[in-house]
Amino acid sequence: AQSVTQLDSQVPVFEEAPVELRCNYSSSVSVYLFWYVQYPNQGLQLLLKYLSGSTLVESINGFEAEFNKSQTSFHLRKPSVHISDTAEYFCALTLQGAQKLVFGQGTRLTINP
Amino acid sequence: NAGVMQNPRHLVRRRGQEARLRCSPMKGHSHVYWYRQLPEEGLKFMVYLQKENIIDESGMPKERFSAEFPKEGPSILRIQQVVRGDSAAYFCASSPGGFGNQPQHFGDGTRLSIL
């Protein structure tokens, strides 16, 4: 069975500091990987995805994630966070050829001024 | 708004009543997924449907829960004889195809509270 583990349930950081949200996955077959962001009382919004090709993927708002097959990781990073980045972040996977998403437990990112 | 539309946003039911949650997918999307988010937990897959067909219901509880996606109209998630443990946020997502490389787009969810 496939699984996703987000190692930190909460991450507090100061504004303009760098941040890394960790995600590890377990699967015996190839997967697609995603990061979603959830703002309070809203649905999930796709932040970025890894399907194939370059292992470093970027979003339009400064986040990036790197697929590391040997370490089965897909950590999310941002060099300088803003107050508006306060949200819950979910790492997820699908099996190639499958449809359902398998989610991690989520990491709550809190930005302090 | 061409996004995934869910209604109602909030639903309160008493134990034993029925809950009906509706989801209209994005325009052009024919694949619908339902997920449940319990407090302090991630989302768990429940069911995957195409028009008039249930493709994968491996995450659905065996009793009281059912889903449909008729030829016309929204997808419906139905919970009969609700219990306190059904209190959760229920999210619908849609995609244009059934391949994992086509990201799912989520609605804002229905927050179900059981009194």
Side-chain angles (χ1 to χ4, degrees):
Chain A
Q2 299 72 42
S3 65
V4 176
T5 301
Q6 292 182 244
L7 297 163
D8 306 295
S9 59
Q10 296 188 54
V11 173
V13 296
F14 288 105
E15 195 173 14
E16 298 184 5
V19 70
E20 178 180 80
L21 306 183
R22 296 179 291 170
C23 172
N24 287 88
Y25 69 93
S26 173
S27 176
S28 57
V29 298
S30 296
V31 298
Y32 299 124
L33 292 159
F34 306 86
W35 276 99
Y36 282 87
V37 58
Q38 185 181 31
Y39 299 102
N41 296 315
Q42 293 186 26
L44 279 70
Q45 300 174 29
L46 180 67
L47 193 58
L48 43 76
K49 61 183 184 284
Y50 172 76
L51 303 180
S52 64
S54 173
T55 57
L56 184 66
V57 291
E58 300 176 350
S59 72
I60 59 173
N61 57 353
F63 283 94
E64 64 179 29
E66 185 161 19
F67 171 60
N68 187 319
K69 189 173 183 179
S70 62
Q71 297 186 7
T72 61
S73 67
F74 191 53
H75 301 332
L76 181 69
R77 302 184 183 95
K78 189 170 185 180
S80 176
V81 296
H82 301 117
I83 291 285
S84 60
D85 293 324
T86 297
E88 188 137 22
Y89 292 79
F90 291 95
C91 183
L93 65 78
T94 58
L95 301 183
Q96 291 187 15
Q99 301 81 25
K100 64 183 181 185
L101 284 163
V102 176
F103 283 90
Q105 296 287 83
T107 297
R108 187 161 295 169
L109 178 61
T110 306
I111 314 298
N112 299 307
Chain B
N1 185 349
V4 178
M5 302 300 294
Q6 289 188 250
N7 66 81
R9 288 292 307 276
H10 301 274
L11 182 61
V12 180
R13 286 287 178 267
R14 296 187 181 281
R15 282 178 295 171
Q17 292 184 320
E18 178 179 287
R20 282 188 179 230
L21 288 61
R22 288 178 290 278
C23 169
S24 296
M26 281 183 72
K27 189 175 181 180
H29 288 192
S30 58
H31 298 250
V32 166
Y33 314 80
W34 286 93
Y35 295 85
R36 177 165 64 175
Q37 185 178 31
L38 294 169
E40 306 301 322
E41 293 188 17
L43 281 74
K44 303 289 188 201
F45 168 79
M46 299 181 75
V47 63
Y48 161 43
L49 310 102
Q50 293 181 43
K51 284 286 188 183
E52 301 184 278
N53 289 304
I54 295 174
I55 308 302
D56 181 357
E57 55 181 348
S58 59
M60 287 280 269
K62 295 287 183 255
E63 298 177 347
R64 302 187 298 108
F65 285 72
S66 62
E68 62 177 8
F69 189 17
K71 187 176 180 181
E72 301 291 338
S75 175
I76 305 288
L77 179 68
R78 182 184 179 201
I79 311 172
Q80 295 178 290
Q81 300 176 339
V82 296
V83 301
R84 288 256 170 87
D86 297 332
S87 294
Y90 292 82
F91 290 95
C92 171
S94 71
S95 66
F99 300 102
N101 62 351
Q102 295 176 309
Q104 296 173 25
H105 298 261
F106 284 79
D108 285 342
T110 294
R111 280 147 185 88
L112 176 63
S113 298
I114 309 301
L115 301 180

